[in-house]
């Protein structure tokens, strides 16, 4: 479906956004592993988290939608049942990689499949450490889906230094480690999002140049109540729209303020954004706060290598901020973008060219110059939710608006994107 957007006047009002996608996946997973009933409040309603729920239903876990929470009834350690068909992870890399860590330790065989995009994404990054732990996993010749995980008697703990900064790889190893008596150690030089260690209460050591995270059977999850804060990655689209619109102000409530995720706020603030964080508190172990955002003049800055993993999902929308900011915007050290739902370096560059920019594409980033010459562009989402929403936001800011092809993919993380936009634009 091609979605058309008209230029907006201003942004005004207040928004409640769906639960954070990363924390939602983990809440479903940890509740499904535990023995007994857990409740999850404000679970993401996106298709990715539905994929996680469906995989665990196939594994014999009861998951019920109640009036204002989701009830998960898990069967405890090694309590999963052999699924009758391949587990379909849809578009979700987090589902695939984290569930692989859990399934690597089971005594039955499982195959994981996914959609066209997920079937191209790299899985060697989890197969290598899990195999080192004694898991038996087969994949395609390119180490992509479908993967089959075979039964094993037991896994052995490992000490693993992450070759890429990836919370998904870190989590896969730590979740497999929950099935061993002795501790598995994961060493990360450049920190990635820390929801897994935080939500499981894992031991973390900080040395001069690395974080070391430990997991073992004693950390296996118990049933509990999860409260998912609103997704900062989803909030980023509305933040940038407000900053770039004249006479605008927006309040977004209960947004995740986890330090491993707030890089987007720091970068935008350095660019001159007026973002005020209010009512900071910790609920169910995760920090959150209310964001008051106001129209701001932005200046481009150099984006440091160390912050890239923290803002990796926000680079598409940050690029939109960069287009309207003073000076030149560019991204380097972000090769990881090539392995996301699409090759996001290619997808962003493609759409910048649609606008009329002269673009230089690097293996690990891009730069561009020139000005917008296309008056009513048709952007391509390539079926990637964050590309679709980023260029949807950009269209709302263009003099004559714009269009985004295949816009329905926004439902991967935020099915109500259009409704939320209509609520706050004037
Ligand atoms: C995620 C980690 C990130 C991120 C993804 C969600 C997670 O991926 O891009 O959207 O929930 O752990 P990597 O850890 O592979 O960088």
């Amino acid at each position: 479906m091609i979605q058309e957007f008209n230029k907006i006047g201003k942004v005004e009002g207040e928004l409640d956004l769906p639960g954070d996608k990363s924390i939602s996946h983990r809440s479903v997973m940890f509740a499904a592993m535990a023995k007994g009933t857990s409740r999850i409040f404000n679970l993401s309603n996106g298709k990715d988290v539905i994929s996680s729920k469906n995989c665990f239903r196939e594994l014999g876990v009861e998951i019920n939608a109640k009036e204002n929470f989701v009830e998960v009834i898990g069967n405890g350690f090694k309590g999963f049942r052999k699924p009758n068909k391949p587990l379909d992870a849809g578009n979700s890399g987090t589902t695939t990689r984290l569930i692989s860590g859990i399934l690597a330790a089971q005594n039955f065989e499982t195959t994981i499949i996914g959609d066209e995009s997920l079937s191209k994404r790299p899985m060697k990054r989890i197969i290598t450490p899990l195999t080192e732990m004694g898991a038996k996993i087969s994949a395609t010749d390119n180490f992509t889906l479908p993967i089959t995980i075979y039964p094993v008697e037991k896994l052995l703990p490992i000490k693993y230094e992450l070759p890429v900064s990836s919370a998904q790889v870190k989590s896969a190893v730590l979740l497999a480690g929950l099935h061993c008596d002795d501790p598995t150690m994961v060493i990360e030089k450049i920190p990635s999002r820390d929801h897994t260690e935080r939500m499981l209460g894992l031991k973390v050591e900080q040395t001069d140049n690395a974080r070391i995270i430990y997991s073992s059977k004693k950390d296996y999850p118990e049933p509990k109540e999860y409260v998912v804060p609103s997704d900062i990655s989803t909030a980023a689209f509305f933040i940038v729209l407000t900053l770039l619109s004249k006479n605008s102000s927006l309040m977004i409530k209960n947004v995740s303020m986890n330090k491993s995720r707030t890089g987007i706020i720091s970068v935008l603030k350095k660019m001159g954004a007026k973002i005020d964080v209010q009512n900071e508190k910790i609920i169910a172990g995760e920090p959150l706060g209310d964001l008051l955002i106001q129209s701001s003049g932005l200046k481009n800055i150099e984006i440091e290598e160390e912050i890239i993993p923290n803002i990796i999902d926000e680079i598409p929308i940050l690029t939109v901020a960069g287009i309207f900011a003073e000076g030149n915007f560019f991204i380097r050290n972000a090769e990881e973008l090539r392995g996301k739902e699409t090759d996001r370096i290619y997808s962003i560059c493609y759409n910048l060219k649609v606008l009329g920019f002269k673009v230089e594409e690097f293996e690990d980033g891009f730069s561009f110059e020139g000005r917008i010459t296309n008056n009513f562009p048709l952007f391509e989402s390539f079926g990637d939710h964050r590309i679709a929403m980023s260029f949807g936001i950009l269209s709302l800011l263009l003099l004559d608006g714009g269009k985004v092809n295949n816009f329905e993919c926004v439902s991967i993380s935020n099915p109500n994107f259009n409704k939320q936009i209509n609520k706050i634009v004037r």
Side-chain angles (χ1 to χ4, degrees):
M1 153 207 130
I2 296 182
Q3 178 74 44
E4 208 171 306
F5 295 93
N6 296 319
K7 168 131 175 67
I8 61 160
K10 64 174 181 171
V11 177
E12 195 173 74
E14 194 175 304
L15 267 185
D16 279 312
L17 292 173
D20 183 82
K21 189 155 80 68
S22 292
I23 300 175
S24 292
H25 280 298
R26 286 162 174 80
S27 303
V28 169
M29 290 179 188
F30 303 163
M33 292 164 79
K35 188 173 181 56
T37 305
S38 297
R39 289 168 157 201
I40 311 173
F41 291 85
N42 199 34
L43 187 71
S44 158
N45 58 351
K47 280 191 179 161
D48 264 9
V49 173
I50 294 176
S51 294
S52 277
K53 286 196 280 185
N54 287 341
C55 287
F56 283 98
R57 286 194 175 111
E58 276 305 315
L59 290 162
V61 177
E62 203 181 312
I63 304 180
N64 306 310
K66 299 285 180 179
E67 205 172 318
N68 65 341
F69 62 90
V70 172
E71 176 188 73
V72 180
I73 309 173
N75 301 317
F77 193 75
K78 304 257 175 169
F80 294 120
R81 135 194 116 192
K82 179 177 164 45
N84 294 320
K85 54 179 194 203
L87 299 183
D88 188 352
N91 190 248
S92 173
T94 310
T95 307
T96 311
R97 298 200 178 106
L98 270 61
I99 216 172
S100 297
I102 300 167
L103 294 173
Q106 308 299 326
N107 55 9
F108 53 80
E109 181 181 317
T110 329
T111 295
I112 306 174
I113 56 171
D115 70 6
E116 202 187 325
S117 146
L118 185 59
S119 302
K120 289 189 197 132
R121 295 180 66 183
M123 295 300 154
K124 190 173 182 185
R125 50 181 58 202
I126 52 153
I127 295 175
T128 302
L130 293 175
T131 305
E132 209 181 298
M133 296 178 83
K136 294 202 171 70
I137 304 176
S138 68
T140 66
D141 290 346
N142 296 327
F143 295 95
T144 51
L145 294 186
I147 61 172
T148 298
I149 304 174
Y150 300 96
V152 288
E153 278 298 305
K154 65 178 207 162
L155 294 182
L156 294 170
I158 54 167
K159 182 174 170 182
Y160 190 66
E161 184 173 328
L162 293 169
V164 281
S165 173
S166 163
Q168 295 184 351
V169 178
K170 169 174 70 178
S171 303
V173 177
L174 291 170
L175 292 179
L178 293 175
H179 298 83
C180 307
D181 292 329
D182 292 322
T184 283
M185 289 165 70
V186 178
I187 301 162
E188 63 174 4
K189 291 273 169 65
I190 301 181
S192 61
R193 63 192 67 189
D194 67 356
H195 306 300
T196 297
E197 46 270 48
R198 201 177 255 277
M199 291 171 72
L200 289 171
L202 303 181
K203 178 178 152 195
V204 180
E205 260 172 29
Q206 181 70 56
T207 68
D208 283 348
N209 60 357
R211 288 177 82 234
I212 307 171
I213 310 112
Y214 297 79
S215 77
S216 70
K217 202 167 163 183
K218 70 168 181 33
D219 304 306
Y220 199 84
E222 299 281 344
K224 66 180 235 192
E225 209 155 86
Y226 294 93
V227 184
V228 185
S230 295
D231 197 321
I232 189 167
S233 302
T234 299
F237 299 103
F238 302 96
I239 295 173
V240 169
L241 180 65
T242 309
L243 294 173
L244 297 177
S245 303
K246 294 230 161 68
N247 304 318
S248 293
S249 155
L250 178 68
M251 169 67 92
I252 314 179
K253 295 282 202 137
N254 296 320
V255 181
S256 168
M257 284 291 113
N258 179 310
K259 286 220 161 45
S260 63
R261 298 286 299 284
T262 49
I264 181 66
I265 309 269
S266 324
V267 171
L268 286 169
K269 275 188 161 178
K270 275 194 196 153
M271 290 171 74
K274 290 183 205 144
I275 304 173
D276 195 20
V277 185
Q278 305 175 346
N279 295 325
E280 281 193 83
K281 52 193 168 224
I282 295 187
I283 294 188
E286 284 283 337
L288 48 92
D290 301 336
L291 301 181
L292 177 64
I293 307 116
Q294 282 168 299
S295 320
S296 311
L298 301 181
K299 276 194 184 143
N300 279 310
I301 54 162
E302 190 174 330
I303 297 167
E304 311 276 342
E305 181 174 4
E306 290 68 39
I307 203 160
I308 294 288
N310 195 311
I311 61 166
I312 195 76
D313 290 344
E314 289 73 64
I315 290 175
I317 187 63
L318 192 56
T319 307
V320 173
I323 291 174
F324 291 95
E326 217 178 275
N328 287 337
F329 180 86
F330 67 95
I331 287 286
R332 296 305 299 255
N333 304 302
E335 204 174 341
E336 276 294 299
L337 285 177
R338 294 209 179 265
K340 295 294 175 190
E341 285 83 332
T342 54
D343 173 343
R344 286 188 177 151
I345 294 180
Y346 173 81
S347 311
I348 293 170
C349 289
Y350 175 97
N351 286 311
L352 290 172
K353 286 180 198 159
V354 167
L355 274 168
F357 287 110
K358 188 166 169 278
V359 181
E360 194 170 355
E361 184 174 334
F362 311 107
E363 201 38 46
D364 66 348
F366 56 89
S367 65
F368 57 96
E369 54 184 34
R371 57 185 188 89
I372 298 175
T373 51
N374 188 343
N375 286 334
F376 189 47
L378 170 60
F379 297 112
E380 186 47 68
S381 72
F382 299 99
D384 181 332
H385 59 133
R386 298 201 198 279
I387 298 294
M389 288 185 279
S390 299
F391 288 92
I393 294 289
L394 174 54
S395 299
L396 292 165
L397 297 162
L398 295 176
L399 224 50
D400 297 312
K403 295 183 284 188
V404 182
N405 195 18
N406 260 316
F407 196 74
E408 61 282 357
C409 63
V410 300
S411 61
I412 289 295
S413 59
N414 188 9
N416 295 328
F417 179 82
N418 281 344
K419 269 195 205 142
Q420 292 151 358
I421 289 288
N422 289 335
K423 184 175 173 215
I424 58 165
V425 302
R426 310 279 178 259

